Amino acid sequence: IQATSYNASGSNFECWFVTPAFKVDEIADKTVSFKCAVYNYATAAANSNLEVYFLKLVNGKMESSKLTIDGMPTTDNTWVPLEAKLDSYAGQTGFVGFKYTSTSSTEALSYRLDDIQAGKGQGGGETPGEGTELLTNGGFENWADGYPTGWKSASTASSATLEQSTDKRSGASSVLVKGDPQSNKRLGSTEMTLKAGTYTFSAYLKAATAGSTASAALGYVPIGDDGVIGGNDYKYGDYANDLTNADWVVKSYTFTLLEQKKICLLVMNSKKPGGNLLVDDASLKTTDGGIVDGGGVDPEPDPELDPYESNIAMPTTSDSKVDFYYNCTVNEFASLKLGKNGVAGTWTSDALGTVKTKLSFYSVAWSGKNGTSLTVEIVGGGTFEGGEASKTVSLIANTGFSGSGTAFTIVPVTDTDYHEYTLIGITANSKIKFSTDKERGAVFGVKLK
């Protein structure tokens, strides 16, 4: 978030960002951490200021106490990790408030805040890395057949029993990696072929149960053509020991590949102590490497492993004048938004190019609009089984499909959101047409087989 008075109306400005209420004693180290950056410091430092306060409600009035923050940033566009110590407020319930003030709308200093956390941030100073993000389901939001999509190795690297957990750092879920005091258990990614380069693999970790501890290490293992892994092939970074359920701790592991290599990422839940482990917000970043197109990586993942990814081209542009269709993402995958408030929409795919025999997709209605219908048609040759040229379904509204943005998170996706039809007589010139009758609908995970 950013606070700035630039181009505002007036001459004196004050604005606040306030955290939710919390009990100071429930933060193990009685510390709130955050990152801060500034812009236009050299010309506007005298005109603007950011202060941090502990706020508490006393007899119906909010009392504020200024907190000492050392090391506030003075260099533009450089993120600085900071901490606010709350030891003197033990036993109290309150808020942390960030107060921005300025006396200029032309020479204004902008303050930016991110990663505001209860507890010391970044797990002792480690960072998730820089560069291009290579993981598409690092938040473990999307699941199929008992595994988070993209997190099941075809080798023996995946040895742990996994569960979807609502105890998460962000999003809607994390992954619970069951432990075993007799042997190490591993969460393994789907195999990927990486170019030569340096990579930083990171994830947020904590014990799954209050009162218990866990220990974990991040790493990878090379996968040979035969898929066999030897006991000495596993590569791990330092352990994150004595993990508790109180705070998420970020752990990072940086490794360098001297040549192109097929690997599987690993989060190992150590047998000492063998407690259940929660993992969330995993990341794989690089500034000089990347995933190889081909070379063992399937450019079109198994539809059963990525249920919300379409295997036909979804729209990359929008039409807000005639057909009222819009490009968007649903659960991080390219998708289709049809219609706008009170207006129907329609979109037709490109020619399929090859003969297909089955169509499946997910669809939902705009939040609060359960009366919307979606019609799917075969255009250019072919029908649905039974000779029908079209099918119409009633859409179920989903609160994740709302707002003014283009990125939507639809959780949960239910069985009633999924539709599958057998196709007859489809040709290479056939197309699929989607239309709503009066309102907004989303179509995603379109698969043609």
Side-chain angles (χ1 to χ4, degrees):
I1 58 174
Q2 174 175 267
T4 183
S5 59
Y6 181 69
N7 272 347
S9 176
S11 57
N12 287 282
F13 310 93
E14 176 180 321
C15 64
W16 288 77
F17 175 76
V18 180
T19 70
F22 61 90
K23 295 180 180 178
V24 174
D25 289 351
E26 292 184 354
I27 303 177
D29 49 16
K30 296 182 175 60
T31 300
V32 170
S33 63
F34 59 98
K35 291 180 180 178
C36 185
V38 293
Y39 179 71
N40 205 27
Y41 187 88
T43 58
N47 301 325
S48 309
N49 193 32
L50 181 74
E51 298 173 321
V52 186
Y53 290 83
F54 181 75
L55 310 173
K56 63 177 181 178
L57 200 62
V58 179
N59 297 325
K61 295 183 179 181
M62 194 67 74
E63 293 185 353
S64 62
S65 302
K66 187 176 178 181
L67 300 172
T68 300
I69 307 294
D70 296 324
M72 291 289 286
T74 58
T75 302
D76 283 0
N77 299 318
T78 299
W79 287 98
V80 176
L82 301 172
E83 294 181 352
K85 303 296 292 184
L86 303 177
D87 303 79
S88 59
Y89 304 98
Q92 301 183 37
T93 296
F95 315 78
V96 168
F98 298 84
K99 178 185 178 183
Y100 172 82
T101 55
S102 177
T103 57
S104 174
S105 61
T106 56
E107 294 183 353
L109 176 60
S110 300
Y111 278 93
R112 298 162 181 172
L113 300 172
D114 203 358
D115 289 344
I116 302 171
Q117 299 182 37
K120 293 183 178 180
Q122 305 304 326
E126 296 192 18
T127 59
E130 302 293 337
T132 302
E133 177 61 64
L134 302 180
L135 299 182
T136 58
N137 190 31
F140 306 102
E141 304 298 317
N142 304 321
W143 288 66
D145 299 326
Y147 287 86
T149 57
W151 291 94
K152 182 182 180 182
S153 171
S155 71
T156 56
S158 292
S159 63
T161 300
L162 309 179
E163 291 183 0
Q164 190 172 12
S165 173
T166 56
D167 186 352
K168 79 287 184 187
R169 177 180 177 269
S170 67
S173 65
S174 66
V175 57
L176 185 152
V177 183
K178 290 193 174 181
D180 184 343
Q182 303 302 317
S183 62
N184 298 329
K185 296 297 181 181
R186 295 179 299 269
L187 165 67
S189 73
T190 301
E191 286 73 18
M192 62 186 76
T193 300
L194 299 181
K195 301 175 184 178
T198 298
Y199 300 82
T200 298
F201 176 37
S202 64
Y204 286 82
L205 313 166
K206 74 173 183 175
T209 308
S212 68
T213 60
S215 177
L218 273 60
Y220 75 97
V221 61
I223 306 292
D225 292 337
D226 57 3
V228 176
I229 299 173
N232 295 324
D233 293 339
Y234 293 98
K235 316 293 183 183
Y236 291 110
D238 295 334
Y239 279 79
N241 292 316
D242 300 319
L243 297 168
T244 70
N245 184 249
D247 300 295
W248 288 97
V249 173
V250 66
K251 193 67 179 174
S252 299
Y253 172 54
T254 299
F255 60 95
T256 299
L257 300 178
L258 299 180
E259 60 183 6
Q260 177 178 309
K261 196 175 292 292
K262 184 177 181 181
I263 66 115
C264 171
L265 297 174
L266 303 169
V267 180
M268 186 259 284
N269 185 359
S270 173
K271 63 183 177 182
K272 296 181 180 180
N276 291 342
L277 174 73
L278 290 174
V279 184
D280 203 2
D281 294 335
S283 169
L284 180 66
K285 290 188 176 181
T286 181
T287 58
D288 58 357
I291 295 178
V292 176
D293 292 327
V297 175
D298 185 355
E300 291 187 3
D302 185 333
E304 298 304 318
L305 297 180
D306 288 293
Y308 310 132
E309 182 179 22
S310 298
N311 65 5
I312 65 170
M314 303 304 283
T316 57
T317 59
S318 298
D319 179 351
S320 60
K321 302 296 184 182
V322 180
D323 291 329
F324 299 100
Y325 65 80
Y326 308 86
N327 60 309
C328 69
T329 61
V330 171
N331 296 348
E332 302 181 350
F333 291 107
S335 303
L336 167 67
K337 176 185 173 184
L338 289 169
K340 63 178 185 178
N341 186 21
V343 178
T346 185
W347 175 80
T348 304
S349 74
D350 295 334
L352 302 183
T354 58
V355 174
K356 302 293 183 180
T357 60
K358 183 175 288 186
L359 166 68
S360 64
F361 60 93
Y362 295 86
S363 58
V364 298
W366 192 254
S367 179
K369 302 293 184 179
N370 275 325
T372 304
S373 294
L374 175 77
T375 299
V376 55
E377 301 175 66
I378 308 298
V379 179
T383 65
F384 294 100
E385 187 175 30
E388 299 170 284
S390 66
K391 295 280 188 179
T392 299
V393 296
S394 297
L395 302 183
I396 306 300
N398 190 293
T399 56
F401 187 41
S402 62
S404 59
T406 59
F408 304 98
T409 299
I410 297 178
V411 177
V413 178
T414 66
D415 290 343
T416 55
D417 299 328
Y418 178 76
H419 311 282
E420 183 176 294
Y421 303 106
T422 298
L423 306 176
I424 304 296
I426 297 297
T427 72
N429 296 319
S430 299
K431 301 177 181 180
I432 306 298
K433 180 179 179 181
F434 294 97
S435 305
T436 53
D437 63 338
K438 59 182 178 182
E439 259 291 351
R440 290 163 288 190
V443 180
F444 54 103
V446 181
K447 302 283 197 309
L448 281 149
K449 300 180 182 179

